[in-house]
Amino acid sequence: ASVATLHRGLYVKAAQFIASIRGGTGDRGVPRAYLDALAVFTDHAPHQPVQKVAEVLKESMQLGGWPEAELNAGCDLRSIESEPLASASLAQVHRAVLQDGTTAAVKIQYPELRKEMASDFMVFKTMGAQIKQMSEGYDLTWVVEDFEKNLTRELDFVLEADNAEKTANELAHLTPTVYVPKVIRKLSSHRVLTMEFCDGLIKANDPAALHQVGLDIQECADLICETFAEMIFVHGRVHADPHAGNIYIRCLDNLGKKRPQLVLLDHGLYYDLHENDVRLNFCKYWKACCVKDSKVMQTLGQRFAGALHRFLPLMLSPWFIFGGSGVSLSEVLSAAKGQLPDTIGIRDVADFVVATREGGANLIGLLHSLGYTRGLLEALGFSESRRLSIMLKYAMLGDMPEPPATPPMLTWHQQLSIRWRVTLMGSHIQLLKPLVWPLQRFANAQTAPSVWLLLSLPVLFAAFSVGVVAAWSQPEPLRKRLRIA
């Protein structure tokens, strides 16, 4: 945390990632102490006085002699607050009032950022080269190269404005439930982004604050999961940074009933899943994981992640452990806790990420975004069964070359299929959970039995019980013969 505070820029970006990526890995992934220390960087990173960012702001606005002189009627702004509303890795946001009285949020890029980040990346590349030398060829320099490429795109606020407007158009059918603040183009530039100001925002990972304003936590979590699932499976565009500093909930009054509105901020970077048909194939892969179609999982998994495709289901959900064969009982316990199995180490995860990149599908950005949203949902107590149901719903709706821009309603048959598949997955894990210790202790078992065997046990027990009762209800001679036998 102290390093990020001192050096800002790239180091703050890394702190944001660590603070938000925990979802689905449990405390083995990122310890809680690290999350608590780094959470501040999602929206309250170190900022600069408004006087230092004034020159950048003047690139897109007429501000007269400000900040030395007062703003006047000839300026584009009537006023601007000196303290930022929020500050992050690349920019800080100030509330301002335009000359027509409109309240706006002005995002201003840090003036020295490009120069600082050039030297920061040089340091990171040097560290990567040293790690490669020390680890006998384990190359991490590509991580820095990808990071640099993506951050270069994020530094262009014109591109961010384009992304915001495209996302607003794609999700227009969800208005007013989902909202993207409008961009004020005439007061924006490559380093300044002026947007409509939204008040009453509540962090999406703060259940206490959501409950305090009268919102249903489950409804808020449903809205987050549904929206991001649609963006992935139907539209094939993935918000790169859906952490708590960019995803908010606002309370709307709908005929006396309080309903949540999801407000999406920071559209600087999106991942396009249309390249190499990743969107369509990911729909098919998610469906295969839910129905335990090992053949499709292997075929598409190899395309996505090469030789290490067996790790991909577990990166998506611990419940997908039954997609292959030979699932260990210890892995079942980890799945019941919603965590990665102990059998997967940090080196396995690193190798998997490398294989995913080399496979050509470039799923790293998608997995990154899914980790963020899982972290938000985990903070709201969202169940894994509900998350998988929603994701499966949109995987089914998106499983076509050109899905409709407005997803249709599922048929009753499709809804029943989703409920059955997810219930079957959850039942397999929950039925096995109390049996793990007896199976390991008394049967010396290591591999999990199939769900059909588990479901047959109550039937066999009931049949045995009926048989015993029937035998003892027979006439006395039969009971005597049974005793003799």
Side-chain angles (χ1 to χ4, degrees), residues 67 79 136 214 241 288 298 355 393 438 451:
S79 65
E136 300 180 354
D241 290 315
Q298 181 173 354
K393 166 187 171 181
V451 66

Side-chain angles (χ1 to χ4, degrees), residues 296-419:
V296 174
M297 289 174 67
Q298 181 173 354
T299 301
L300 291 178
Q302 287 178 337
R303 183 180 301 182
F304 288 147
L308 295 176
H309 62 88
R310 66 189 181 92
F311 291 119
L312 181 54
L314 294 175
M315 296 297 172
L316 299 176
S317 171
W319 282 28
F320 289 162
I321 59 171
F322 296 109
S325 59
V327 178
S328 70
L329 292 172
S330 62
E331 289 175 336
V332 173
L333 283 179
S334 296
K337 297 175 184 177
Q339 299 179 358
L340 287 174
D342 293 335
T343 52
I344 297 181
I346 191 67
R347 179 63 183 256
D348 294 320
V349 175
D351 288 340
F352 165 78
V353 171
V354 174
T356 301
R357 184 177 186 266
E358 292 176 348
N362 195 13
L363 281 183
I364 299 174
L366 173 58
L367 294 174
H368 175 113
S369 182
L370 285 172
Y372 277 148
T373 53
R374 286 178 70 182
L376 294 177
L377 296 173
E378 184 182 85
L380 298 180
F382 202 56
S383 70
E384 185 67 358
S385 63
R386 182 62 181 157
R387 187 181 80 91
L388 294 182
S389 297
I390 291 174
M391 299 290 279
L392 179 55
K393 166 187 171 181
Y394 284 96
M396 294 169 66
L397 291 172
D399 189 14
M400 59 186 73
E402 295 291 338
T406 301
M409 296 289 291
L410 290 176
T411 65
W412 68 268
H413 179 267
Q414 290 173 315
Q415 294 177 33
L416 188 62
S417 174
I418 290 174
R419 185 172 300 179

Side-chain angles (χ1 to χ4, degrees), residues 321-322 324-332 428 432 435-436 438-440 443-451 453-454:
I321 59 171
F322 296 109
S325 59
V327 178
S328 70
L329 292 172
S330 62
E331 289 175 336
V332 173
H428 197 173
L432 269 175
L435 298 176
V436 169
L439 286 171
Q440 289 178 327
N444 198 26
Q446 297 299 324
T447 304
S450 69
V451 66
L453 177 60
L454 291 171

Side-chain angles (χ1 to χ4, degrees), residues 16 38-46 84-89 91 203 243-246 248:
Q16 289 177 342
L38 299 177
V40 66
F41 292 104
T42 58
D43 61 351
H44 284 88
L85 293 168
S87 51
S89 56
K203 276 191 173 185
H243 56 67
N246 294 331
Y248 291 87

